[in-house]
Amino acid sequence: MPRPEVLDRIKEAEQEADEIIAEADEEADERIEAAREEAEQIREQAREEAAEMAEERLEQAREEIDAEHERILDEGREEREALEERAEDRKEEVIEHVTELFEEAVHAQT
């Protein structure tokens, strides 16, 4: 093979190698950019899921607090009713005792 042809083929091969390298670089850049975009989507999805989870936990805590609040109120109502009932049961006894004290005080003055 004559020298000029060999040189032409070497130049063609070098040009072809340069094109292959440029394409590989471009493809690598595209893959890196796609991986970055995918990573950002994954991070965003993780943020959204974390926020959703936090909201669910907050709602659950609110429900538990509301239930505890209602339980405490119910206990208070029951206790009040019991006290009112005991007071009602002793009402006559107290009236009699106060009347006796009054009568004693009136007799002591006479």
Side-chain angles (χ1 to χ4, degrees):
M1 197 185 289
R3 261 186 150 173
E5 277 183 30
V6 171
L7 287 176
D8 285 342
R9 288 186 70 185
I10 291 173
K11 284 181 184 179
E12 284 176 14
E14 286 177 346
Q15 186 177 0
E16 214 176 290
D18 287 344
E19 288 173 5
I20 291 170
I21 290 171
E23 286 176 14
D25 285 344
E26 188 177 322
E27 186 177 329
D29 289 344
E30 288 173 359
R31 286 184 178 186
I32 290 170
E33 183 59 31
R36 285 185 178 138
E37 289 174 5
E38 185 178 352
E40 182 56 35
Q41 288 174 351
I42 290 169
R43 280 191 295 273
E44 183 59 31
Q45 183 178 1
R47 280 188 211 105
E48 289 173 5
E49 288 174 2
E52 188 176 304
M53 221 178 202
E55 185 61 36
E56 287 174 5
R57 286 182 179 170
L58 183 60
E59 183 60 32
Q60 183 180 6
R62 284 184 181 133
E63 288 173 3
E64 289 173 6
I65 289 169
D66 287 345
E68 180 67 9
H69 178 253
E70 196 57 41
R71 186 191 64 74
I72 291 169
L73 288 176
D74 287 345
E75 273 182 17
R77 285 185 200 107
E78 289 174 7
E79 201 171 312
R80 183 195 72 222
E81 289 172 3
L83 286 171
E84 287 174 349
E85 191 175 304
R86 281 199 331 237
E88 186 63 37
D89 290 346
R90 295 193 62 207
K91 185 175 162 183
E92 288 300 318
E93 182 183 326
V94 171
I95 291 172
E96 282 182 35
H97 181 69
V98 171
T99 304
E100 287 175 9
L101 289 176
F102 178 73
E103 288 174 357
E104 287 177 10
V106 168
H107 288 299
Q109 288 181 356
T110 57

